[in-house]
Amino acid sequence: MLSFFLSIFADESNTIYDMKQVSKITICLLCMAMALTGCRDKVRSKADTADPQAAVSQSMKRISKVEKQGDMHQYDVADKQRITDFIPKGYKLFEKISGDLNKDGLEDCVLIIKATRKNGFERDYEGKLIDRNRRGIIVLFSEEKGYKVAVKNYNCFSSENEDGGNYFSPELGVIIKDSKLYLHYYHGRYGYWEYCFRYQNSDFMLIGYEASHDRGPVVLFKTSINFLTGVEYDDENINAYKFNADSDDDSEIDEVFKRTVVKLKKKPLMKLSEIEDFDELRFE
């Protein structure tokens, strides 16, 4: 009987021991779970703190970029409005060229304008409607707060769509170099001519003229005029008759020029503002 109770007591002792072990393990697991939960909460807390800051930072960057783009757009619009304010009614902007024209280190502005008159349109020989409206020029000098008009001439250039006959019409190019204004007419295989103006006495004065009369790659005749000195140089290619207009190879023939110097009559310098039609300019 005693042995029976002892065996029962031993079994209960083992059971109690096992339960204690289980309790210890359970407590350890609970502690580990609480520790992991705490770490996770800290990580979430840091993430929650960092994300709003990053979001705010990114948002500020986006806002700053948008505001900057908006400011640049407003500047561009203001600049465009400031220039177009000088274009008279009945005209539109055809071309804009920038450069220093009065040696003050600021970017001045040359506007080529074009009339928009309805009666300036006509039909060509093919029946196409062509814009024959004439063009003009406005020179603006830069100032601290904008521009001021230096010279204006609204109708001195013919249309870019003039009939060139068997060839295209001359193309007007505007060049600013060494504070001088060059009006250059390109005429492809037939050569070019160019007018040089310099600002003085409150206008742009015609001080030089250059022209080259060509036949393809061959220069037939060249002219250079200095209106300040009143001297004209005419260079004639005396071998021009040797070149074959139908040949693609005239490399063995040299261009030899004979120069003639002409003294021009003394006249006041021409003003850009007073030239009525560049196509009708003649120099004697």
Side-chain angles (χ1 to χ4, degrees), residues 62-92:
R62 286 195 296 269
I63 292 173
S64 177
K65 185 176 181 180
V66 169
E67 288 178 348
K68 185 176 181 181
Q69 290 175 345
D71 290 342
M72 290 302 295
H73 176 68
Q74 291 175 3
Y75 175 80
D76 291 341
V77 170
D79 183 65
K80 183 177 180 181
Q81 289 175 342
R82 189 166 64 245
I83 290 172
T84 54
D85 283 345
F86 293 95
I87 299 176
K89 185 178 180 180
Y91 290 82
K92 65 180 180 180

CSV table of all heavy atoms in Angstrom, one decimal, residues 62-92:
chain,number,residue,atom,x,y,z
A,62,ARG,N,9.2,69.5,-55.1
A,62,ARG,CA,8.3,69.6,-56.2
A,62,ARG,C,7.7,71.0,-56.3
A,62,ARG,O,7.6,71.6,-57.4
A,62,ARG,CB,7.2,68.5,-56.1
A,62,ARG,CG,7.6,67.1,-56.4
A,62,ARG,CD,6.4,66.2,-56.6
A,62,ARG,NE,5.6,66.1,-55.4
A,62,ARG,CZ,5.8,65.1,-54.5
A,62,ARG,NH1,6.8,64.2,-54.6
A,62,ARG,NH2,5.0,65.1,-53.5
A,63,ILE,N,7.2,71.5,-55.2
A,63,ILE,CA,6.7,72.9,-55.2
A,63,ILE,C,7.7,73.9,-55.6
A,63,ILE,O,7.4,74.8,-56.4
A,63,ILE,CB,6.2,73.2,-53.8
A,63,ILE,CG1,4.9,72.3,-53.4
A,63,ILE,CG2,5.8,74.7,-53.7
A,63,ILE,CD1,4.5,72.5,-52.0
A,64,SER,N,8.9,73.7,-55.1
A,64,SER,CA,10.0,74.7,-55.5
A,64,SER,C,10.2,74.6,-57.0
A,64,SER,O,10.4,75.6,-57.7
A,64,SER,CB,11.3,74.3,-54.8
A,64,SER,OG,12.3,75.2,-55.2
A,65,LYS,N,10.3,73.4,-57.6
A,65,LYS,CA,10.5,73.2,-59.0
A,65,LYS,C,9.4,73.8,-59.8
A,65,LYS,O,9.6,74.5,-60.8
A,65,LYS,CB,10.6,71.7,-59.3
A,65,LYS,CG,11.0,71.5,-60.8
A,65,LYS,CD,11.2,70.0,-61.0
A,65,LYS,CE,11.6,69.7,-62.4
A,65,LYS,NZ,11.8,68.2,-62.7
A,66,VAL,N,8.1,73.6,-59.4
A,66,VAL,CA,7.0,74.1,-60.1
A,66,VAL,C,7.0,75.7,-60.0
A,66,VAL,O,6.7,76.3,-61.0
A,66,VAL,CB,5.7,73.6,-59.5
A,66,VAL,CG1,4.5,74.4,-60.0
A,66,VAL,CG2,5.5,72.1,-59.8
A,67,GLU,N,7.3,76.2,-58.8
A,67,GLU,CA,7.4,77.7,-58.7
A,67,GLU,C,8.5,78.2,-59.6
A,67,GLU,O,8.3,79.3,-60.2
A,67,GLU,CB,7.6,78.0,-57.2
A,67,GLU,CG,6.4,77.8,-56.3
A,67,GLU,CD,6.7,78.1,-54.9
A,67,GLU,OE1,7.9,78.3,-54.5
A,67,GLU,OE2,5.8,78.2,-54.1
A,68,LYS,N,9.6,77.6,-59.6
A,68,LYS,CA,10.7,78.0,-60.5
A,68,LYS,C,10.3,78.0,-61.9
A,68,LYS,O,10.5,79.0,-62.7
A,68,LYS,CB,11.9,77.2,-60.3
A,68,LYS,CG,13.2,77.7,-61.0
A,68,LYS,CD,14.4,76.8,-60.7
A,68,LYS,CE,15.6,77.3,-61.4
A,68,LYS,NZ,16.8,76.5,-61.1
A,69,GLN,N,9.7,76.9,-62.4
A,69,GLN,CA,9.2,76.9,-63.8
A,69,GLN,C,8.2,78.0,-64.0
A,69,GLN,O,8.2,78.6,-65.1
A,69,GLN,CB,8.6,75.5,-64.0
A,69,GLN,CG,9.6,74.4,-64.1
A,69,GLN,CD,9.0,73.0,-64.2
A,69,GLN,OE1,7.8,72.8,-64.1
A,69,GLN,NE2,9.8,72.0,-64.6
A,70,GLY,N,7.3,78.2,-63.0
A,70,GLY,CA,6.3,79.2,-63.2
A,70,GLY,C,6.9,80.6,-63.3
A,70,GLY,O,6.5,81.4,-64.2
A,71,ASP,N,8.0,80.8,-62.5
A,71,ASP,CA,8.7,82.1,-62.6
A,71,ASP,C,9.3,82.3,-63.9
A,71,ASP,O,9.3,83.4,-64.5
A,71,ASP,CB,9.7,82.2,-61.4
A,71,ASP,CG,9.1,82.3,-60.1
A,71,ASP,OD1,7.9,82.7,-60.0
A,71,ASP,OD2,9.8,82.1,-59.1
A,72,MET,N,10.0,81.2,-64.4
A,72,MET,CA,10.7,81.3,-65.7
A,72,MET,C,9.6,81.6,-66.8
A,72,MET,O,9.9,82.3,-67.7
A,72,MET,CB,11.4,80.0,-66.0
A,72,MET,CG,12.7,79.9,-65.1
A,72,MET,SD,13.8,81.2,-65.3
A,72,MET,CE,14.3,81.0,-67.0
A,73,HIS,N,8.5,80.9,-66.7
A,73,HIS,CA,7.4,81.1,-67.7
A,73,HIS,C,6.9,82.5,-67.7
A,73,HIS,O,6.8,83.1,-68.8
A,73,HIS,CB,6.3,80.1,-67.4
A,73,HIS,CG,5.1,80.3,-68.4
A,73,HIS,ND1,5.2,80.0,-69.7
A,73,HIS,CD2,3.9,80.8,-68.2
A,73,HIS,CE1,4.0,80.2,-70.3
A,73,HIS,NE2,3.2,80.7,-69.4
A,74,GLN,N,6.8,83.1,-66.5
A,74,GLN,CA,6.3,84.4,-66.4
A,74,GLN,C,7.3,85.4,-67.0
A,74,GLN,O,7.0,86.4,-67.6
A,74,GLN,CB,6.0,84.8,-64.9
A,74,GLN,CG,4.8,84.1,-64.3
A,74,GLN,CD,4.6,84.3,-62.9
A,74,GLN,OE1,5.4,85.1,-62.3
A,74,GLN,NE2,3.7,83.7,-62.3
A,75,TYR,N,8.6,85.1,-66.7
A,75,TYR,CA,9.7,85.9,-67.3
A,75,TYR,C,9.7,85.9,-68.8
A,75,TYR,O,9.8,86.9,-69.5
A,75,TYR,CB,11.1,85.5,-66.8
A,75,TYR,CG,12.2,86.2,-67.4
A,75,TYR,CD1,12.6,87.5,-66.9
A,75,TYR,CD2,12.9,85.7,-68.4
A,75,TYR,CE1,13.6,88.2,-67.5
A,75,TYR,CE2,14.0,86.4,-69.0
A,75,TYR,CZ,14.3,87.6,-68.5
A,75,TYR,OH,15.3,88.3,-69.1
A,76,ASP,N,9.5,84.7,-69.3
A,76,ASP,CA,9.5,84.5,-70.8
A,76,ASP,C,8.3,85.3,-71.4
A,76,ASP,O,8.5,85.9,-72.4
A,76,ASP,CB,9.4,83.0,-71.2
A,76,ASP,CG,10.7,82.3,-70.9
A,76,ASP,OD1,11.8,83.0,-70.7
A,76,ASP,OD2,10.7,81.1,-70.8
A,77,VAL,N,7.2,85.1,-70.8
A,77,VAL,CA,6.0,85.8,-71.3
A,77,VAL,C,6.2,87.3,-71.2
A,77,VAL,O,5.9,88.1,-72.1
A,77,VAL,CB,4.8,85.4,-70.4
A,77,VAL,CG1,3.6,86.3,-70.8
A,77,VAL,CG2,4.4,84.0,-70.7
A,78,ALA,N,6.7,87.8,-70.0
A,78,ALA,CA,7.0,89.2,-69.9
A,78,ALA,C,7.9,89.8,-70.9
A,78,ALA,O,7.8,90.8,-71.5
A,78,ALA,CB,7.5,89.5,-68.5
A,79,ASP,N,9.0,89.0,-71.2
A,79,ASP,CA,10.0,89.4,-72.2
A,79,ASP,C,9.4,89.4,-73.6
A,79,ASP,O,9.6,90.4,-74.3
A,79,ASP,CB,11.2,88.4,-72.2
A,79,ASP,CG,12.3,88.8,-73.1
A,79,ASP,OD1,12.9,89.8,-72.9
A,79,ASP,OD2,12.5,88.0,-74.1
A,80,LYS,N,8.6,88.4,-73.9
A,80,LYS,CA,7.9,88.4,-75.2
A,80,LYS,C,6.9,89.6,-75.3
A,80,LYS,O,6.9,90.2,-76.3
A,80,LYS,CB,7.2,87.1,-75.4
A,80,LYS,CG,6.5,86.9,-76.7
A,80,LYS,CD,5.8,85.6,-76.9
A,80,LYS,CE,5.2,85.4,-78.2
A,80,LYS,NZ,4.5,84.1,-78.4
A,81,GLN,N,6.2,89.9,-74.3
A,81,GLN,CA,5.3,91.0,-74.3
A,81,GLN,C,6.0,92.3,-74.5
A,81,GLN,O,5.6,93.2,-75.2
A,81,GLN,CB,4.4,91.0,-73.1
A,81,GLN,CG,3.4,89.9,-73.0
A,81,GLN,CD,2.7,89.8,-71.7
A,81,GLN,OE1,3.1,90.4,-70.7
A,81,GLN,NE2,1.5,89.1,-71.6
A,82,ARG,N,7.2,92.4,-73.8
A,82,ARG,CA,7.9,93.6,-73.9
A,82,ARG,C,8.4,93.9,-75.3
A,82,ARG,O,8.5,95.0,-75.7
A,82,ARG,CB,9.1,93.5,-72.9
A,82,ARG,CG,9.8,94.9,-72.7
A,82,ARG,CD,10.8,94.8,-71.5
A,82,ARG,NE,11.8,93.8,-71.7
A,82,ARG,CZ,12.0,92.8,-70.9
A,82,ARG,NH1,11.1,92.5,-70.0
A,82,ARG,NH2,13.0,91.9,-71.1
A,83,ILE,N,8.8,92.8,-76.0
A,83,ILE,CA,9.3,93.0,-77.4
A,83,ILE,C,8.1,93.2,-78.3
A,83,ILE,O,8.2,94.1,-79.2
A,83,ILE,CB,10.0,91.7,-77.8
A,83,ILE,CG1,11.4,91.7,-77.0
A,83,ILE,CG2,10.3,91.7,-79.3
A,83,ILE,CD1,12.1,90.4,-77.2
A,84,THR,N,7.1,92.4,-78.2
A,84,THR,CA,5.9,92.6,-79.1
A,84,THR,C,5.2,93.9,-79.0
A,84,THR,O,4.5,94.3,-79.9
A,84,THR,CB,5.0,91.4,-79.0
A,84,THR,OG1,4.6,91.3,-77.6
A,84,THR,CG2,5.6,90.1,-79.4
A,85,ASP,N,5.4,94.5,-77.8
A,85,ASP,CA,4.7,95.8,-77.6
A,85,ASP,C,5.3,96.9,-78.6
A,85,ASP,O,4.6,97.9,-78.9
A,85,ASP,CB,5.0,96.3,-76.2
A,85,ASP,CG,4.1,95.6,-75.2
A,85,ASP,OD1,3.1,95.0,-75.6
A,85,ASP,OD2,4.4,95.7,-74.0
A,86,PHE,N,6.4,96.6,-79.2
A,86,PHE,CA,7.0,97.6,-80.1
A,86,PHE,C,6.6,97.3,-81.6
A,86,PHE,O,6.9,98.1,-82.5
A,86,PHE,CB,8.6,97.5,-80.1
A,86,PHE,CG,9.1,98.0,-78.8
A,86,PHE,CD1,9.4,97.1,-77.7
A,86,PHE,CD2,9.3,99.3,-78.5
A,86,PHE,CE1,9.9,97.6,-76.5
A,86,PHE,CE2,9.9,99.8,-77.3
A,86,PHE,CZ,10.2,98.9,-76.3
A,87,ILE,N,5.9,96.2,-81.8
A,87,ILE,CA,5.4,95.9,-83.1
A,87,ILE,C,4.1,96.6,-83.4
A,87,ILE,O,3.1,96.5,-82.7
A,87,ILE,CB,5.2,94.4,-83.3
A,87,ILE,CG1,6.6,93.7,-83.1
A,87,ILE,CG2,4.7,94.1,-84.7
A,87,ILE,CD1,6.4,92.2,-83.1
A,88,PRO,N,4.1,97.5,-84.5
A,88,PRO,CA,2.8,98.3,-84.7
A,88,PRO,C,1.7,97.4,-85.2
A,88,PRO,O,1.8,96.2,-85.6
A,88,PRO,CB,3.3,99.2,-85.9
A,88,PRO,CG,4.4,98.5,-86.5
A,88,PRO,CD,5.1,97.7,-85.5
A,89,LYS,N,0.5,97.9,-85.1
A,89,LYS,CA,-0.7,97.2,-85.5
A,89,LYS,C,-0.7,97.0,-87.0
A,89,LYS,O,-0.2,97.9,-87.8
A,89,LYS,CB,-1.9,98.1,-85.1
A,89,LYS,CG,-3.3,97.4,-85.4
A,89,LYS,CD,-4.4,98.3,-85.0
A,89,LYS,CE,-5.8,97.6,-85.3
A,89,LYS,NZ,-6.9,98.4,-84.9
A,90,GLY,N,-1.1,95.8,-87.4
A,90,GLY,CA,-1.1,95.5,-88.8
A,90,GLY,C,0.2,94.8,-89.2
A,90,GLY,O,0.4,94.6,-90.4
A,91,TYR,N,1.1,94.5,-88.3
A,91,TYR,CA,2.3,93.8,-88.5
A,91,TYR,C,2.5,92.6,-87.6
A,91,TYR,O,1.8,92.5,-86.5
A,91,TYR,CB,3.5,94.7,-88.4
A,91,TYR,CG,3.7,95.8,-89.4
A,91,TYR,CD1,2.9,96.9,-89.3
A,91,TYR,CD2,4.5,95.6,-90.5
A,91,TYR,CE1,3.0,97.9,-90.3
A,91,TYR,CE2,4.6,96.6,-91.5
A,91,TYR,CZ,3.9,97.7,-91.4
A,91,TYR,OH,4.0,98.7,-92.4
A,92,LYS,N,3.3,91.7,-87.9
A,92,LYS,CA,3.7,90.5,-87.1
A,92,LYS,C,5.2,90.3,-87.0
A,92,LYS,O,5.9,90.8,-87.9
A,92,LYS,CB,3.0,89.2,-87.6
A,92,LYS,CG,3.5,88.8,-88.9
A,92,LYS,CD,2.8,87.5,-89.3
A,92,LYS,CE,3.3,87.0,-90.7
A,92,LYS,NZ,2.6,85.7,-91.1
